[in-house]
Amino acid sequence: MDRRSVIKQSFKYYSNIIISALIDELETEISKKQKRIWTRKWLLRRDTQCVHMVDYLTIGSSAGLIRELAIEDKSEYKSFMRMTPDQFEFLFQKISAKIQREDTIMRPAIPAKIKLELTLSFLATGNSYRSLSHLFRVSKAAISIFIPEVMDAVFEALKDYIKVS
């Protein structure tokens, strides 16, 4: 063997070792990176926090309180939601079909009733999306998407009742 072929073989040998080491290092780094959270676990437990009342499900801690107030303390309900339970039901019947989405294989859809309650709570209290997220067990990203949709649906449903000069 001549000197040139020895150098060539050595180069191939050491370059394969270096490439193998680099690949191992990259795989280690990739596995160390945190995976992106699709949905937080406490949000997914929205359905496990259910309480059956009347003829619908209560979802999230604040929603449970809202249902209790609607049944037991209508004046406090009106103070919190800025409308009576009957007015809420009237509005809900008008817009529920427009704001309800289908469940997907990734996660169940947020119920239309929760969307409306959360939106009305936002309008009545001015709470941040973060606090509403915790109270209703709905992500901030979802809230930022559906609040404008719900408000558009409310406007469309009540435009005959709204007087604008």
Side-chain angles (χ1 to χ4, degrees), residues 1-47:
M1 272 187 145
D2 67 341
R3 184 174 162 88
R4 198 172 193 176
S5 62
V6 170
I7 292 173
K8 205 174 188 179
Q9 281 182 336
S10 296
F11 181 76
K12 283 183 183 178
Y13 175 75
Y14 288 115
S15 63
N16 283 338
I17 290 174
I18 292 170
I19 290 171
S20 177
L22 285 173
I23 289 172
D24 289 344
E25 188 65 31
L26 285 172
E27 287 174 348
T28 303
E29 283 298 314
I30 290 171
S31 67
K32 282 182 184 177
K33 287 186 180 181
Q34 288 184 338
K35 293 182 180 177
R36 188 167 180 255
I37 298 173
W38 186 255
T39 303
R40 298 187 183 277
K41 290 180 183 177
W42 63 271
L43 292 174
L44 292 174
R45 287 193 298 271
R46 168 185 323 138
D47 292 333

Side-chain angles (χ1 to χ4, degrees), residues 76-151:
E76 194 60 33
Y77 178 93
K78 185 173 182 176
S79 175
F80 182 71
M81 298 294 286
R82 306 294 197 264
M83 64 177 55
T84 66
D86 292 335
Q87 291 168 331
F88 177 87
E89 279 303 316
F90 171 78
L91 183 58
F92 178 69
Q93 294 304 319
K94 286 201 162 277
I95 70 167
S96 62
K98 293 178 186 169
I99 63 173
Q100 183 62 54
R101 301 286 178 258
E102 295 293 320
D103 291 347
T104 67
I105 58 170
M106 297 299 284
R107 66 180 109 19
I110 300 167
K113 189 167 278 243
I114 296 301
K115 289 181 177 181
L116 181 57
E117 287 172 344
L118 193 146
T119 302
L120 293 174
S121 178
F122 171 72
L123 293 172
T125 64
N127 282 344
S128 67
Y129 286 179
R130 179 175 295 280
S131 64
L132 292 168
S133 171
H134 294 130
L135 291 172
F136 287 87
R137 292 182 183 264
V138 177
S139 73
K140 292 181 297 184
I143 292 171
S144 68
I145 291 170
F146 72 68
I147 281 183
E149 291 174 357
V150 172
M151 291 185 355

